[in-house]
Amino acid sequence: MSEIKVTTVPGIRVPVVKEEDATGRTAELYAEIKQAMRMPFVPDMFTLVGSRPDLLQGLLSGFGAVFMGGVLEPRVKELVATWTSQLNACHYCVGTHSYFLRLFGGGEELAAAIGTAKTPADLPVDDKTRALLGLVTAVTTHAHRITDEDWAQASAAGWRDDELLEAVYCASLFNFVVRMVDSLGLGTSVESSRISRVPLPAGGAAEGPA
């Protein structure tokens, strides 16, 4: 097995594998990531674990389970991801998923509101979406205190159990992601998210998974 070439990046606490240096399984996974996210580059979050293709595979599988199918609209999933990132104060993830939220029709007003909101009540969303975000907030801030009544309230707002399961999975995934990103030094700044600087395509909201 050839040795993996890694690079030391200022501010990042682990050596990373740059896209141009990737070989073997890491190169294959990087190609899958670009195709799945429809990006001309590999988002830097994935390069954090590029030196460990086994961990990279697990990370990509988690993302794929949420964003490459499922039952929730892409806009709703990106809202859950962005809101969970905001609750965790992960600026990198907020910047990245605000882009996808706007890409899938969330709108500039909602994306901007997430940056200052403290609770779902502060967001310009309908009551059904607000109920879902209430459950998502509980997943992040006090999951051990979620009750059957909390679940019933979200159900009563119009969400099916499979949709709620996917939303909880998405929120749980991003509670993991933001901790990894922050611990390894990437999450401190929106500017560190290259995706946040990508212009939105002309012609309105996109359809389908990111």
Side-chain angles (χ1 to χ4, degrees), residues 1 3 11 19 31 37 46 52 59 70 97 103 114 126 207:
M1 180 183 299
E3 184 176 349
E19 186 177 348
M37 301 191 74
F46 290 101
R52 286 286 305 275
L59 184 58
H97 288 277
L103 179 67
I114 289 174
D126 58 31
E207 296 181 357

Side-chain angles (χ1 to χ4, degrees), residues 2-7 15-18 20-23 26 50-51:
S2 61
E3 184 176 349
I4 296 175
K5 181 179 179 180
V6 296
T7 300
V16 304
V17 178
K18 292 186 175 181
E20 60 269 24
D21 295 330
T23 58
T26 297
S51 63

Side-chain angles (χ1 to χ4, degrees), residues 20-174:
E20 60 269 24
D21 295 330
T23 58
R25 185 58 181 149
T26 297
E28 293 173 355
L29 290 169
Y30 279 4
E32 291 180 27
I33 290 165
K34 288 197 295 182
Q35 181 178 15
M37 301 191 74
R38 300 178 187 174
M39 283 284 140
F41 56 84
V42 177
D44 293 323
M45 183 269 291
F46 290 101
T47 70
L48 293 173
V49 292
S51 63
R52 286 286 305 275
D54 54 338
L55 300 183
L56 181 59
Q57 175 69 74
L59 184 58
L60 178 55
S61 295
F63 265 77
V66 173
F67 295 109
M68 297 306 295
V71 295
L72 292 172
E73 296 178 11
R75 176 187 59 83
V76 174
K77 289 184 277 195
E78 291 298 344
L79 176 57
V80 170
T82 309
W83 179 242
T84 301
S85 300
Q86 172 65 17
L87 290 172
N88 282 289
C90 180
H91 304 296
Y92 171 88
C93 291
V94 171
T96 294
H97 288 277
S98 288
Y99 168 85
F100 287 119
L101 176 60
R102 291 179 291 127
L103 179 67
F104 292 117
E108 297 289 344
E109 180 186 6
L110 176 56
I114 289 174
T116 58
K118 303 299 182 184
T119 72
D122 301 323
L123 298 174
V125 296
D126 58 31
D127 290 341
K128 180 182 178 181
T129 303
R130 189 169 288 111
L132 182 67
L133 292 179
L135 182 62
V136 166
T137 300
V139 170
T140 299
T141 61
H142 54 272
H144 63 291
R145 296 203 305 270
I146 293 176
T147 65
D148 292 344
E149 289 73 21
D150 295 325
W151 194 271
Q153 286 180 4
S155 295
W159 298 102
R160 302 189 312 267
D161 280 345
D162 59 337
E163 293 174 324
L164 293 176
L165 175 58
E166 191 167 295
V168 169
Y169 183 97
C170 182
S172 300
L173 174 68
F174 272 84

